[in-house]
Amino acid sequence: MARITVLGGTGYAGGRIAREAVSRGHQVTTVSRGTPSEPIEGAADRTGDVTDETLLAELLDDADVVVNALAARGSMVGRVVEVSRTLVRLAAEKGVRLGVVGGAGVLKVSEDGPRLIDTDGFPEQARPEASEMIEVLGLLEDSDEALDWFYVSPAAGFGDFNPGERTGSYRIGGEVLLTDEEGGSDISGDDYALAFVDEIETPRHRRARFGVAN
Ligand SMILES: NC(=O)c1ccc[n+]([C@@H]2O[C@H](COP(=O)([O-])OP(=O)(O)OC[C@H]3O[C@@H](n4cnc5c(N)ncnc54)[C@H](OP(=O)(O)O)[C@@H]3O)[C@@H](O)[C@H]2O)c1
């Protein structure tokens, strides 16, 4: 049993990760500014703003693993990277493993191809958020060796607009976007959470990123 704190634990990705972790018997705390509209039975809810460093430090004191499932949208544009900088420092100091819900934009479309974010078809409205999550990855890659981190890029079609179904399986990739036979790239919210919690329970990627897709 691990103590898992999910920053953004009421969101699309964070909520599913929290739910999956609770179902496997972990001690889970979700953190969000608003009161959860659908509280997860078995998880503790903590209401607070993670831009507050004192709160972050307190949260990390009670965690084995902290999950960053924040989204660089609305008032958090430009601030997810700031919070991540603090998280990287505190998690290294306190020996807490840091898992990050990353974006697909950083993945290359083929071994020698451009990153998804640099392709013409990449949605313009998603570019700022994707760029910020690439910046977050840079912070991890440049972090002190003491920090144990992993960063999980979902398939391109991941998101609350496309929750999909739980299939109970997923494929793991590296720096290249995983696609299916028709060229699609999807992962359901629940299968993404499955992969994320599998990595928490059985670490296979230390100081590394990977991609997941159905
Ligand atoms: N295809 C893709 O590449 C793709 C698509 C979607 C998402 N993603 C990844 O998934 C991540 C999460 O996205 P999502 O769609 O799951 O986001 P979301 O549903 O908007 O959830 C964001 C969560 O963060 C919380 N939050 C925001 N600001 C906070 C603050 N200052 N303090 C505490 N909690 C705060 C929100 O709750 P409150 O508002 O109540 O605080 C909510 O629980 C993104 O950053 C991105 O990396 C990738």
Side-chain angles (χ1 to χ4, degrees):
M1 191 270 294
R3 296 170 304 162
I4 303 171
T5 296
V6 185
L7 311 180
T10 61
Y12 174 74
R16 283 170 169 76
I17 291 168
R19 213 174 282 280
E20 177 68 27
V22 166
S23 77
R24 299 198 205 177
H26 296 289
Q27 185 182 316
V28 177
T29 302
T30 63
V31 186
S32 59
R33 293 163 302 182
T35 313
S37 55
E38 292 173 26
I40 300 169
E41 202 182 325
D45 311 316
R46 180 73 190 259
T47 306
D49 189 328
V50 298
T51 59
D52 173 0
E53 183 172 338
T54 310
L55 171 66
L56 269 190
E58 202 185 301
L59 290 167
L60 265 60
D61 279 336
D62 292 327
D64 302 309
V65 180
V66 62
V67 176
N68 177 354
L70 301 165
R73 298 180 205 135
S75 64
M76 288 302 283
V77 171
R79 306 202 75 183
V80 171
V81 75
E82 279 175 32
V83 171
S84 299
R85 198 170 279 118
T86 311
L87 257 184
V88 159
R89 176 168 49 78
L90 291 174
E93 276 170 22
K94 295 174 187 288
V96 174
R97 190 163 193 234
L98 169 60
V100 178
V101 177
V106 70
L107 298 171
K108 293 188 291 182
V109 294
S110 63
E111 209 53 63
D112 304 316
R115 299 177 306 180
L116 193 58
I117 191 174
D118 298 320
T119 58
D120 289 343
F122 195 81
E124 209 49 52
Q125 71 277 12
R127 216 174 275 279
E129 178 180 336
S131 300
E132 190 157 342
M133 291 317 292
I134 292 174
E135 215 179 317
V136 170
L137 176 61
L139 292 177
L140 297 171
E141 289 173 338
D142 292 344
S143 68
D144 191 293
E145 288 289 327
L147 179 69
D148 184 4
W149 62 267
F150 65 96
Y151 177 106
V152 190
S153 286
F158 174 82
D160 61 359
F161 53 90
N162 182 27
E165 303 282 329
R166 181 189 180 97
T167 68
S169 68
Y170 55 85
R171 292 178 291 153
I172 290 193
E175 297 189 2
V176 178
L177 182 73
L178 289 169
T179 52
D180 57 28
E181 280 158 13
E182 286 85 44
S185 174
D186 283 303
I187 185 147
S188 71
D190 287 344
D191 288 337
Y192 179 85
L194 188 66
F196 206 100
V197 178
D198 281 351
E199 177 62 30
I200 291 176
E201 286 191 334
T202 310
R204 293 197 173 90
H205 301 84
R206 292 201 183 268
R207 295 185 58 76
R209 67 169 161 126
F210 60 102
V212 291
N214 283 129

